[in-house]
Amino acid sequence: MIGNGDIINTRHVSRDIFSATVGSILCCYTGQPLDTLKVRMQIKPTIYTTILEAAQKTIQEEGMHALWKGSVPTALGMAAENAMAFGLNETLKRAFPSDNSSSVGYGQHDKPELFRPFWMGLVTGLASAVVLLPSEVIKAKTQAVVGNDHSSSLDIYRKMLREQGWKSLFVGFDAQLMRDGPFYAVFFGGYELFCYTFRTHVPQMPQEMNYFLSGGLAGMLGWTVAMPFDVPKTNIQSRWDTKVVGSYFLEMGRIVRERGVLGLYNGLWPTLVRAFPANAALFLGVEMGKKFFDDFLW
């Protein structure tokens, strides 16, 4: 029987937060340019039709730095989100250990159970959505700003509070849940399965390379599943006329009517191109952050 002190204690929490922060910073600044292009392709598909066109127009009209628009709230939100996501996922693994798992860390299991990492990922995603929501709304509105409007994330935040009050930070709450639940289920579940597959069939692969490849592939798989839920979410959160709850399914229906089902996959290619390096960096940063914490901090 596992006692409460073995599930949550100061060292566990500190280790989870530290490693998630390291991974989040690497993930954010690796993937932010392609995330900006993805958002623009989703909200203005007639103007930004391809990755190259979106990149060319953005850089020509606003400069290279525009690709990192919204990176500060993204990094802060990502650190908070991943501290909760990886921390909660680790806590669930300690609370409900597998019979054939040592519960040492991600991908460290002898053989992961088929459904266990997926349902834990689902619970993690629903909880993380609450933490991530305000930064996602600010980021979406900031990335949607084009042309000579140089509004910063702070400017957008102040405008949101002026026009809609505190509820503006929680616009698209239902949309966030609809995207993050499926994403994290596949994200964490896929990571553990990829790690096991590489460890079993490519035993000579260095552990760091396993983390890197498994994280990248898990990110791509997660976004492929979550993309139809992400497009209406982005549209809702980038606009100024939507509600906390109730706009999501109306927006999804509008997109399907106007663009067809494939409209729900607008921005998929830049997302997948971004997903591999960003999530590879995330998981490698998390795993190396844990090792650094264990060896040098506590």
Side-chain angles (χ1 to χ4, degrees):
M1 180 68 121
I2 298 179
N4 290 335
D6 296 319
I7 298 174
I8 301 177
N9 60 40
T10 304
R11 184 183 183 281
H12 286 153
V13 173
S14 300
R15 182 175 184 257
D16 294 340
I17 292 175
F18 176 81
S19 60
T21 301
V22 172
S24 297
I25 293 171
L26 293 177
C27 177
C28 174
Y29 286 94
T30 300
Q32 187 69 9
L34 284 162
D35 188 65
T36 298
L37 299 180
K38 177 208 76 169
V39 168
R40 294 188 172 195
M41 288 177 69
Q42 288 179 339
I43 62 176
K44 297 182 179 178
T46 58
I47 298 176
Y48 304 103
T49 57
T50 67
I51 303 175
L52 292 179
E53 183 181 17
Q56 184 179 31
K57 285 185 177 179
T58 299
I59 293 171
Q60 284 179 346
E61 295 174 6
E62 303 168 60
M64 183 71 73
H65 68 278
L67 295 175
W68 279 271
K69 275 190 172 182
S71 58
V72 174
T74 299
L76 294 174
M78 200 174 279
E81 174 199 11
N82 286 324
M84 168 169 278
F86 283 85
L88 177 56
N89 205 257
E90 284 279 25
T91 300
L92 289 171
K93 287 161 68 175
R94 289 190 292 267
F96 304 98
S98 172
D99 292 337
N100 54 5
S101 168
S102 61
S103 294
V104 174
Y106 295 96
Q108 300 298 306
H109 301 179
D110 294 328
K111 184 177 181 180
E113 295 177 2
L114 182 59
F115 295 110
R116 179 173 173 271
F118 287 92
W119 76 256
M120 288 185 178
L122 176 63
V123 173
T124 298
L126 296 177
S128 297
V130 179
V131 174
L132 181 64
L133 183 56
S135 69
E136 281 282 287
V137 176
I138 297 171
K139 181 190 78 168
K141 284 180 167 60
T142 303
Q143 289 177 323
V145 173
V146 298
N148 295 321
D149 186 343
H150 300 294
S151 298
S152 66
S153 298
L154 183 58
D155 295 330
I156 295 294
Y157 169 72
R158 288 170 175 165
K159 182 179 178 183
M160 287 167 57
L161 293 186
R162 280 198 311 270
E163 295 192 3
Q164 294 178 299
W166 289 104
K167 71 176 183 179
S168 65
L169 295 172
F170 300 94
V171 165
F173 177 64
D174 49 351
Q176 197 76 37
L177 293 176
M178 288 295 295
R179 187 199 69 176
D180 287 354
F183 173 78
Y184 275 105
V186 176
F187 187 57
F188 282 117
Y191 179 72
E192 294 210 18
L193 291 179
F194 282 128
C195 276
Y196 170 72
T197 300
F198 284 128
R199 193 168 56 248
T200 301
H201 299 288
V202 194
Q204 70 275 19
M205 179 184 289
Q207 197 171 43
E208 293 79 9
M209 182 60 70
N210 190 343
Y211 298 149
F212 186 84
L213 292 177
S214 297
L217 292 172
M220 293 180 73
L221 184 60
W223 275 110
T224 300
V225 170
M227 198 66 192
F229 306 105
D230 183 62
V231 173
K233 181 196 85 73
T234 300
N235 279 265
I236 288 170
Q237 293 177 343
S238 65
R239 298 208 315 260
W240 297 83
D241 60 347
T242 47
K243 304 183 234 178
V244 173
V245 175
S247 300
Y248 179 70
F249 290 104
L250 293 174
E251 181 66 17
M252 179 178 276
R254 183 190 70 79
I255 292 171
V256 172
R257 285 194 306 274
E258 294 181 2
R259 309 180 202 169
V261 174
L262 291 180
L264 295 174
Y265 290 88
N266 277 341
L268 178 62
W269 289 116
T271 299
L272 294 182
V273 172
R274 168 195 176 273
F276 186 88
N279 290 290
L282 171 62
F283 272 105
L284 180 61
V286 168
E287 298 290 3
M288 293 299 98
K290 289 178 185 176
K291 189 174 188 304
F292 183 88
F293 186 92
D294 292 339
D295 292 344
F296 299 105
L297 298 181
W298 196 341

